[in-house]
Amino acid sequence: MSNFSVGFRQHNGVQILDLHGELDAHTAPELEAALQKCLQNGQYNILINGRDLDYISSAGLGVFMAYVEEIREKGGDLKIAELKPGVYNVFDLLGFPLLFDILPSEAEALERFARGERPMLPSS
Amino acid sequence: MIRNVTIPSLQQTEMLLQQRRTRLFLLLPFFGTGYILSVVFHLLTWKSGTPPSTWVRLFYYDGLMLITYGALWLLLWGETHQRGTSPTRTFWGLTVASLLFLGLGYLVLRIGRPSGDLALSAPVTGFAYETGVPLTWAAVVQMNVLALLEALLAFWLLLQLRGLVLFKRTRQSERSWRWMLITMAGSALLVDLFQPDEFVLALLLSLPVGLMLRNAFRVAWILYLPFRQKLLNLGLTVLATGALSGTLAFTSGPAYEYVWHYSPALSSFVNLSLAFGILYLVTSFLSLLFHLPTTGAFQRKVDELAALHALMQMVSQVFDVERLTDTIVRLPVETGVAQTAWLALPDFQTTFRPRIVAAYNLPAGQTPEALVDVEALYQEVATRRQFLLLEQALTDHRVRARPEHGIGSLLVVPLVARNELLGVLFVTREVAYGFEQDEVEAITVFATQAALALDNARLLHERLEKERLARELAIARDVQRRLLPQQLPRLPGLQIVASSVPAQEVGGDYYDLLRLDDHRLAFIVADVAGKGTSAAFYMAELQGIFRALSPLNPDPVVFLTQANRALFETLARKAFISAVYGVFDVAKGTVTLARAGHPPPILLRPHAPPRLLRLQGLGLGLDRGELFRQTLEPCTLSLQAGDRLLLYTDGLIESRNDRGEAFGYDRLLQTLEAHAQDTAASLHRHLLETLAQFTGHPAYDDDLTLVIFQWQEVPMLQETRDHQDVQTQTAGASTSTTQPSQPSQQAP
């Protein structure tokens, strides 16, 4: 029934998660489990690739919020790349581009990882 | 018909004879008359001195005997029939009866003789050698009395032993007992009729003797005697055997001639009966002797199994899963069938591996996992669906226990109910080869019972959990319903239509309107990420914030910043709220609003394309405060007559049709353009209708909230107040779960 899946890749010490399908309240636990696994393996540089992500609901967005703080505390970052316009719009509405590095291409995201850049957060 | 009435069936006769009065009435006359006639017969023979003709003897005398002693048998049968027999009483009774008989017999033999040897030959004792005619009156008396006494003893003996032979009776055993009696009586009669020689006699007696042997080995009652009883009965069988042997010696010795001349059939029957009595006593003695050593073990086993069965009933009465698992491991140990027991259930929630939920009587400081490879054994039993018995547990590679842990043999039994494996029970014994076949069976049966109980408890638990959840959701739904405005406030010049439909029982959408003073109205439309009970609580919190803060700080930036600060502290990390907040000022004809991560409001002016107000702003609860305040972008609009402001939640945009397409902004804006001139109420209705047509089903995927404001310029406040009473429409309940929408409307 689930039409959501997560693929794992590695590139230069960055853990890349490829999201496929629709991320909503029902499928959010799968992404949570994937992120949990990354943290357990000590990987804190995580790139979410949304090339094949067709839909995201607010519950899906909640997953990113739930983990980003811990990841940044550990010195890593959670970046998002290659979102489809419709999905990006949902991120954008809530102001996620202010909280996360959301980049058009994976290469740019990896570059930012390499340079160690993170979004400026006045509150943190 | 008539035959049915006149000849009662065997059962009817039996029933009839079971009533004592009927029995005595029917049988006593037969017996009494028959007996007196037989005495008269012998007296006549004695007086005449000649034997009766063969025909008289065969048809008159033997017929008379059959009826007389048949009646006597039935009389005694009726007296002993219903009494339960205890072997002790039977043996004791046999001994006493035999001794009594011997005493009486001795006295009878002395009649008419002053003293001397009792074992005199027939002519001397008083019968004619050739004809068997009694020679003295004493002989007549003696033969009649002795025959009666012998018959009484033999019948009584058979009826007493019957209770023991037919202990745990079956159709088979009943039949074999009956046949024994019939063949005994039959052969006795044949002996009487033909007076056969020894060879034929032996042949004739082989059948009853065979059946006697067969019945003599029916000694099942011995198994259930406790040790002391067995010992007591052992002594009593010796005693009774002695007494019966003495009696047999008496009946086939000194008394033989008398009874033989009275009736050869009776004499043979009596001797056969006594022989059977002795045979039975001897087999009883031997069986008792052989069973003595096993009594303790047998008794223990019976106790164990009885306890296990009794406690199984208890298992089925426990409904609490935790208590049930405890009981399941305790019972085999407490009944002594096992030394140690533990129970592994599959963990469906997290690990998907068997988990030990209860253990009993483990060796000190040990865990089941330390003793055996629980998972490997569990998997094997799970696939086999049958018990696994490790007779020499320590030699198995999956057993980690050392000899001092006292795990000699291990029995692993699956708990299967409704064809589903619910768990696995492990029981151990200290010694290798410790589990007997019947114990394995008992534990297997116990496991089935336990599985059923576990299944029941689980179903009950699930049902309770479901009910609890349903109650919780009902409460949350109720809370949510109360949080939405029950009645819309009124302000001159402003028309409001609002509806909110939760997709599930409890949704995450919230809207509210609050009249701040006579010319200002604060409004909020929000969407809590996630649904269910937690969403209802966050909504409640937001409502509190809105109702408390907006009168004090109606300015959107101030209000939303404060709301964000409050919510950031209390919301779960992954929870956030998107909202649009604003204030209408009817005196100035303006609206000031700001967007916190919410889908942009739409401004629809009469002669212009709809405009999405894409104001910058983070969702509530995402950021601690600084970034939120910096990015928040308020906007003030001067309103013109006919302006409509649309506020909605993402349910409107993201509702999808069967092909998976979302309604989207484009369709929304198209619909608005098509109805650009509509009033708020009509626009509201058209939008929802268009959406329903698009999705093709009345139910929405997500919560759907739609609030539309329409501004109608009013030149003077005074004037509107005069009109107010005329056109008032009160808002009804603004949410509904049964109807897709229920707009609330207020007109000035």
Side-chain angles (χ1 to χ4, degrees):
Chain A
M1 189 52 208
S2 169
N3 48 2
F4 176 78
S5 63
V6 183
F8 293 85
R9 277 188 293 143
Q10 286 258 353
H11 190 275
N12 282 347
V14 178
Q15 177 69 52
I16 304 172
L17 302 183
D18 291 303
L19 309 190
H20 303 264
E22 304 186 348
L23 182 57
D24 56 22
H26 298 290
T27 55
E30 279 184 56
L31 180 59
E32 275 183 60
L35 286 170
Q36 193 71 52
K37 203 168 136 192
C38 294
L39 297 189
Q40 272 169 6
N41 295 341
Q43 286 153 334
Y44 301 111
N45 283 335
I46 300 166
L47 173 58
I48 304 286
N49 188 315
R51 197 183 304 134
D52 297 317
L53 184 64
D54 300 322
Y55 169 81
I56 191 162
S57 78
S58 52
L61 293 172
V63 179
F64 296 108
M65 289 311 301
Y67 285 91
V68 70
E69 200 164 323
E70 185 183 349
I71 289 170
R72 284 179 182 157
E73 271 169 18
K74 295 274 165 63
D77 193 21
L78 182 70
K79 297 186 200 299
I80 302 161
E82 305 195 5
L83 292 177
K84 288 182 176 178
V87 176
Y88 179 80
N89 197 30
V90 179
F91 278 84
D92 189 33
L93 273 179
L94 273 160
F96 269 50
L98 295 165
L99 304 167
F100 290 88
D101 275 338
I102 302 185
L103 301 146
S105 75
E106 199 176 288
E108 282 175 71
L110 290 172
E111 241 173 69
R112 277 184 75 83
F113 267 121
R115 288 202 300 267
E117 286 176 355
R118 293 202 294 190
M120 283 265 294
L121 292 174
S123 57
S124 54
Chain B
M1 277 299 281
I2 292 165
R3 259 181 53 179
N4 283 350
V5 173
T6 48
I7 303 175
S9 71
L10 197 66
Q11 266 110 9
Q12 280 171 317
T13 322
E14 266 196 51
M15 299 253 294
L16 209 63
L17 290 181
Q18 263 161 24
Q19 289 164 320
R20 196 165 200 198
R21 272 173 65 99
T22 335
R23 198 168 59 224
L24 292 180
F25 257 116
L26 274 177
L27 297 174
L28 262 184
F30 275 105
F31 170 69
T33 323
Y35 190 71
I36 290 164
L37 283 175
S38 74
V39 174
V40 171
F41 177 83
H42 288 117
L43 280 173
L44 285 175
T45 322
W46 168 55
K47 275 285 175 202
S48 65
T50 50
S53 73
T54 316
W55 290 112
V56 171
R57 189 165 177 93
L58 276 185
F59 290 102
Y60 167 68
Y61 184 70
D62 281 358
L64 188 72
M65 287 291 100
L66 211 56
I67 290 168
T68 310
Y69 287 94
L72 181 65
W73 166 264
L74 287 176
L75 271 171
L76 286 176
W77 173 82
E79 291 305 309
T80 54
H81 187 64
Q82 283 143 326
R83 289 192 203 133
T85 343
S86 92
T88 318
R89 217 168 61 194
T90 307
F91 296 144
W92 186 242
L94 279 181
T95 314
V96 173
S98 303
L99 292 176
L100 202 67
F101 169 79
L102 277 177
L104 284 173
Y106 177 78
L107 287 178
V108 171
L109 280 189
R110 286 189 58 109
I111 295 174
R113 266 188 295 182
S115 64
D117 193 2
L118 291 176
L120 290 173
S121 58
V124 183
T125 50
F127 293 96
Y129 181 71
E130 289 292 325
T131 55
V133 171
L135 299 175
T136 57
W137 68 270
V140 175
V141 173
Q142 280 165 332
M143 70 195 287
N144 277 295
V145 175
L146 278 175
L148 180 62
L149 284 177
E150 280 191 15
L152 277 172
L153 179 72
F155 291 172
W156 193 76
L157 176 138
L158 287 174
L159 288 168
Q160 285 294 301
L161 290 182
R162 176 178 187 272
L164 294 181
V165 173
L166 294 184
F167 181 84
K168 297 243 160 179
R169 70 173 70 187
T170 59
R171 190 175 273 275
Q172 176 69 27
S173 68
E174 228 166 21
R175 200 179 297 146
S176 122
W177 173 256
R178 229 168 245 164
W179 273 108
M180 184 187 86
L181 294 182
I182 290 170
T183 52
M184 276 166 73
S187 56
L189 281 173
L190 286 175
V191 166
D192 192 343
L193 292 179
F194 302 117
Q195 314 265 331
D197 59 36
E198 273 183 19
F199 175 70
V200 181
L201 187 73
L203 215 60
L204 202 62
L205 289 179
S206 62
L207 193 61
V209 169
L211 283 165
M212 277 157 66
L213 273 171
R214 184 174 176 163
N215 280 297
F217 282 98
R218 295 196 185 276
V219 286
W221 46 270
I222 288 176
L223 278 180
Y224 300 90
L225 289 184
F227 187 77
R228 289 174 62 109
Q229 283 276 308
K230 275 187 185 150
L231 218 53
L232 176 66
N233 281 303
L234 201 64
L236 281 175
T237 48
V238 175
L239 215 61
T241 312
L244 276 186
S245 304
T247 312
L248 186 60
F250 180 77
T251 56
S252 55
Y256 179 69
E257 292 285 339
Y258 297 96
V259 184
W260 179 263
H261 285 116
Y262 181 79
S263 161
L266 185 67
S267 170
S268 309
F269 188 83
V270 167
N271 286 342
L272 277 173
S273 304
L274 288 173
F276 174 70
I278 291 165
L279 192 63
Y280 193 79
L281 286 169
V282 170
T283 54
S284 297
F285 172 80
L286 292 175
S287 301
L288 280 167
L289 200 63
F290 293 138
H291 274 104
L292 271 183
T294 59
T295 308
F298 181 79
Q299 195 58 42
R300 212 165 40 243
K301 190 118 299 169
V302 168
D303 289 350
E304 277 171 19
L305 297 185
L308 200 58
H309 282 277
L311 291 168
M312 272 183 205
Q313 304 302 315
M314 246 177 63
V315 169
S316 58
Q317 284 158 17
V318 181
F319 288 116
D320 177 44
V321 174
E322 225 162 86
R323 259 184 59 210
L324 184 62
T325 53
D326 278 347
T327 317
I328 289 171
V329 293
R330 236 184 31 237
L331 288 191
V333 178
E334 284 189 349
T335 52
V337 178
Q339 169 74 20
T340 311
W342 63 85
L343 179 66
L345 299 184
D347 182 355
F348 289 122
Q349 252 107 57
T350 49
T351 57
F352 294 95
R353 289 154 80 181
R355 194 165 51 91
I356 304 294
V357 291
Y360 193 66
N361 208 23
L362 288 174
Q366 292 296 323
T367 60
E369 280 91 351
L371 295 171
V372 300
D373 185 346
V374 170
E375 198 171 341
L377 289 167
Y378 184 98
Q379 291 309 339
E380 172 155 359
V381 170
T383 29
R384 294 198 338 173
R385 289 288 174 108
Q386 264 192 341
F387 69 84
L388 172 70
L389 177 59
L390 304 178
E391 298 267 34
Q392 287 177 290
L394 291 177
T395 62
D396 195 278
H397 65 280
R398 290 161 296 191
V399 177
R400 300 165 181 150
R402 289 191 302 278
E404 67 267 25
H405 293 141
I407 297 200
S409 37
L410 175 67
L411 176 62
V412 193
V413 200
L415 267 57
V416 180
R418 292 188 301 168
N419 216 18
E420 190 194 343
L421 184 81
L422 298 179
V424 169
L425 177 68
F426 296 73
V427 291
T428 72
R429 280 218 139 158
E430 292 149 295
V431 289
Y433 300 100
F435 288 104
E436 300 296 332
Q437 180 64 33
D438 56 341
E439 286 166 334
V440 172
E441 273 162 22
I443 297 234
T444 316
V445 172
F446 171 72
T448 314
Q449 195 88 4
L452 279 176
L454 209 57
D455 195 37
N456 282 343
R458 193 166 290 174
L459 285 177
L460 189 77
H461 185 72
E462 270 171 25
R463 222 186 71 194
L464 289 177
E465 185 68 16
K466 222 177 246 175
E467 277 172 13
R468 194 184 62 79
L469 221 64
R471 269 203 306 278
E472 212 169 77
L473 276 176
I475 292 170
R477 194 169 59 220
D478 192 46
V479 168
Q480 190 189 37
R481 196 176 50 77
R482 287 160 191 273
L483 291 177
L484 297 174
Q486 306 295 305
Q487 214 170 5
L488 298 179
R490 301 174 205 140
L491 268 185
L494 198 60
Q495 195 179 334
I496 309 167
V497 187
S499 73
S500 181
V501 186
Q504 296 177 337
E505 283 176 326
V506 181
D509 277 11
Y510 167 66
Y511 78 92
D512 206 356
L513 301 152
L514 187 65
R515 192 173 161 159
L516 301 175
D517 46 39
D518 65 347
H519 60 103
R520 286 190 305 172
L521 173 87
F523 60 89
I524 188 167
V525 173
D527 184 0
V528 180
K531 297 180 183 65
T533 317
S534 62
F537 281 113
Y538 293 147
M539 274 173 63
E541 191 178 353
L542 187 59
Q543 192 218 31
I545 291 170
F546 174 72
R547 298 243 153 187
L549 279 185
S550 64
L552 302 172
N553 300 296
D555 177 69
V557 174
V558 180
F559 170 80
L560 285 173
T561 308
Q562 288 184 349
N564 179 61
R565 192 175 302 138
L567 287 166
F568 185 81
E569 298 298 325
T570 52
L571 288 188
R573 261 308 124 251
K574 60 180 171 185
F576 50 85
I577 298 172
S578 73
V580 169
Y581 170 86
V583 177
F584 274 102
D585 190 328
V586 292
K588 292 183 193 161
T590 59
V591 57
T592 307
L593 55 95
R595 188 186 71 91
H598 202 75
I602 299 172
L603 180 66
L604 188 62
R605 301 203 129 138
H607 302 290
R611 203 174 112 204
L612 284 168
L613 303 175
R614 282 190 166 274
L615 306 165
Q616 217 184 31
L618 275 173
L620 295 165
L622 289 176
D623 175 77
R624 208 174 299 273
E626 277 298 302
L627 188 64
F628 183 88
R629 204 172 59 86
Q630 281 173 22
T631 54
L632 200 60
E633 183 192 347
C635 149
T636 304
L637 299 166
S638 289
L639 295 169
Q640 303 161 13
D643 277 0
R644 279 141 299 164
L645 184 68
L646 267 82
L647 302 171
Y648 53 91
T649 52
D650 56 2
L652 182 64
I653 303 302
E654 290 175 5
S655 281
R656 283 187 272 183
N657 63 10
D658 293 335
R659 284 181 305 233
E661 297 167 326
F663 189 66
Y665 286 99
D666 291 343
R667 285 189 188 83
L668 173 61
L669 295 178
Q670 277 166 24
T671 314
L672 291 178
E673 279 203 84
H675 299 279
Q677 307 301 322
D678 285 20
T679 59
S682 145
L683 194 60
H684 186 273
R685 196 176 62 244
H686 276 123
L687 256 181
L688 291 183
E689 273 170 10
T690 312
L691 183 67
Q693 270 167 22
F694 171 76
T695 57
H697 45 82
Y700 302 107
D701 302 334
D702 200 353
D703 306 344
L704 174 57
T705 299
L706 181 58
V707 180
I708 303 179
F709 298 97
Q710 182 167 0
W711 172 249
Q712 267 145 349
E713 196 156 16
V714 266
M716 284 176 66
L717 284 175
Q718 198 57 47
E719 202 176 320
T720 25
R721 274 189 196 132
D722 297 339
H723 287 281
Q724 211 167 10
D725 304 331
V726 186
Q727 281 193 336
T728 302
Q729 259 182 300
T730 317
S734 52
T735 56
S736 160
T737 48
T738 50
Q739 291 176 336
S741 81
Q742 194 174 23
S744 316
Q745 190 173 334
Q746 188 225 335

